[in-house]
Amino acid sequence: MLALINQIVDKCLAAIQEASSTQQLADIRVRFLGKSGEYTSILRGMKDVPPAEKPQMGKHINEGRERIEQALAAKESECKAAELAARLEAESIDVTLTKDLPFGSTHPVTLVLDQIIDIFVGLGFRAVEGREIESDYYNFQLMNIPLDHPARDMQDTFYVTENTLLRTHTSPMQAHTMQEEKPPIRIVVPGKVYRADDDATHSPVFHQIEGLVVDKGISLAHLKGTLDAAARALFSAETKTRFRPSYFPFTEPSVEVDCSCPLCGGKGCRLCKGTGWIEILGAGVVNPQVLINCGIDPNEYSGIAFGMGIERIAMIKYGVPDIRSLYENDVRFLKQYC
Ligand code: DAH
């Protein structure tokens, strides 16, 4: 049995010596040390070894195994280094090259954002931008979310100081605009927003576009017509929208808006989880309290508002399952959307 052990160890060491990739080494590991590997199966012979020789034999088996492990580890780090060097060489960029460089392309989030801005500008809206560091007063209080109100839990927040924070939504720009301008107001607000949230469909920083219309006689019907037109322009002429009752402190009534699934046209598929509908935004009739907070007389004027997440729309439009691939800046991913 001693001779057999030595023979397998030698065979294995020779194979390791000849291997030239981490994959080959992994195969060797399975072939010799795996569950039914050549070396492992020696253990089965142990039952026939006379008890007096067992400790000696066990020691020998362990030493053999140790030698194999050491040889594997040494060769593995050698192959890893060589593979890394080869990859760096293959993917290297010559920064001194000045011609024939490939052009970059517009990021899918920017593509979708630009397209949505264009759609609303076409409907008579003006695009304005707000600040990313907001006061609690604008981000929450003017939007009818008082201090300590449970509705704050809807938006996990990064505070800068006790009263300033990274805006959790683009809605505070509604308040800035209403304070600064007289109706009629028709704006969209694209920009970055921040939330303490991070998984396959949520990012701590993402983009929203907010919409606000304030004028005489504005109603839920205007909201439906506007969002219908926008969804048709964004996805396809056949796209339908539906409103589901919801709750936002800054709108009353509030709705969540679904559109018919752009992938299956409403028949039901993987993207819409068989329902035929996909949620695209939150919206509603501006709560009169918000108009009052911002110095607009609700007896004279009314408004509609909406807010949508751009990454979500990009993921629906381009079938991207994980939001993180939008931020990794892997050129191979980004090139697909030029
Ligand atoms: N601010 C909301 C959010 O971030 C989205 C939203 C819903 C905006 C309804 C609106 C609205 O203007 O009317 O979750």
Side-chain angles (χ1 to χ4, degrees):
M1 187 158 164
L2 272 181
L4 178 66
I5 295 173
N6 290 340
Q7 196 190 333
I8 299 182
V9 171
D10 287 346
K11 190 160 98 180
C12 183
L13 293 180
I16 293 172
Q17 222 36 57
E18 265 176 39
S20 55
S21 71
T22 48
Q23 183 54 51
Q24 283 172 0
L25 290 169
D27 294 344
I28 292 173
R29 179 180 288 281
V30 174
R31 187 174 134 208
F32 287 92
L33 301 181
K35 244 198 201 133
S36 44
E38 287 185 38
Y39 198 71
T40 318
S41 54
I42 294 179
L43 291 174
R44 265 178 246 128
M46 273 297 265
K47 65 178 186 319
D48 303 324
V49 175
E53 290 174 28
K54 271 200 174 132
Q56 184 59 28
M57 194 61 78
K59 191 159 170 258
H60 200 69
I61 293 177
N62 285 342
E63 280 167 4
R65 192 185 169 92
E66 190 58 26
R67 284 173 65 202
I68 296 178
E69 288 285 8
Q70 275 172 8
L72 272 174
K75 192 76 178 186
E76 249 161 23
S77 64
E78 200 180 294
C79 287
K80 259 193 202 144
E83 283 166 16
L84 179 64
R87 198 167 143 210
L88 289 176
E89 172 73 26
E91 293 182 2
S92 74
I93 296 169
D94 182 351
V95 291
T96 63
L97 266 184
T98 52
K99 57 178 193 149
D100 297 337
L101 284 178
F103 279 99
S105 56
T106 311
H107 192 279
V109 169
T110 311
L111 272 179
V112 171
L113 194 52
D114 286 350
Q115 193 192 350
I116 297 175
I117 294 172
D118 275 357
I119 291 170
F120 284 102
V121 167
L123 291 171
F125 286 69
R126 187 165 47 92
V128 294
E129 283 181 313
R131 56 209 83 181
E132 287 173 28
I133 296 181
E134 266 297 356
S135 61
D136 185 288
Y137 185 60
Y138 279 92
N139 194 83
F140 290 128
Q141 295 173 48
L142 286 178
M143 299 313 293
N144 200 30
I145 312 176
L147 287 166
D148 300 322
H149 193 279
R152 289 188 179 222
D153 291 350
M154 289 161 78
Q155 303 184 354
D156 297 318
T157 311
F158 291 114
Y159 283 89
V160 179
T161 65
E162 206 181 324
N163 293 313
T164 41
L165 44 98
L166 297 178
R167 67 177 174 188
T168 59
H169 50 179
T170 39
S171 305
M173 202 43 196
Q174 289 190 24
H176 286 292
T177 309
M178 284 190 272
Q179 284 182 339
E180 282 159 26
E181 297 177 17
K182 297 238 156 330
I185 292 171
R186 241 178 270 122
I187 54 159
V188 279
V189 188
K192 289 197 189 84
V193 301
Y194 301 82
R195 291 192 200 173
D197 228 356
D198 197 6
D199 61 36
T201 51
H202 297 90
S203 158
V205 42
F206 62 104
H207 297 76
Q208 281 190 337
I209 190 160
E210 187 84 12
L212 174 71
V213 176
V214 181
D215 204 348
K216 291 187 171 146
I218 294 294
S219 76
L220 198 68
H222 295 101
L223 185 66
K224 177 80 177 162
T226 305
L227 295 179
D228 248 358
R232 284 197 301 270
L234 187 56
F235 296 112
S236 76
E238 286 75 45
T239 306
K240 294 187 174 54
T241 60
R242 73 173 182 189
F243 285 7
R244 281 179 292 110
S246 185
Y247 171 75
F248 298 103
F250 28 88
T251 42
E252 182 58 39
S254 302
V255 292
E256 251 152 67
V257 181
D258 299 338
C259 70
S260 50
C261 176
L263 190 63
C264 64
K267 287 197 251 340
C269 68
R270 179 186 48 81
L271 183 66
C272 58
K273 300 199 179 80
T275 63
W277 295 94
I278 294 221
E279 184 189 325
I280 52 167
L281 56 86
V285 172
V286 177
N287 191 318
Q289 187 59 50
V290 173
L291 296 178
I292 295 169
N293 292 350
C294 301
I296 291 181
D297 180 358
N299 295 317
E300 196 176 348
Y301 294 105
S302 55
I304 51 172
F306 56 88
M308 75 178 106
I310 303 303
E311 279 79 353
R312 197 179 151 69
I313 304 284
M315 288 166 78
I316 296 169
K317 240 178 117 83
Y318 299 124
V320 178
D322 190 325
I323 194 169
R324 290 168 288 211
S325 36
L326 291 172
Y327 305 118
E328 281 164 355
N329 286 336
D330 184 330
V331 189
R332 292 164 301 183
F333 170 81
L334 297 176
K335 265 206 299 224
Q336 304 173 84
Y337 306 104
C338 329

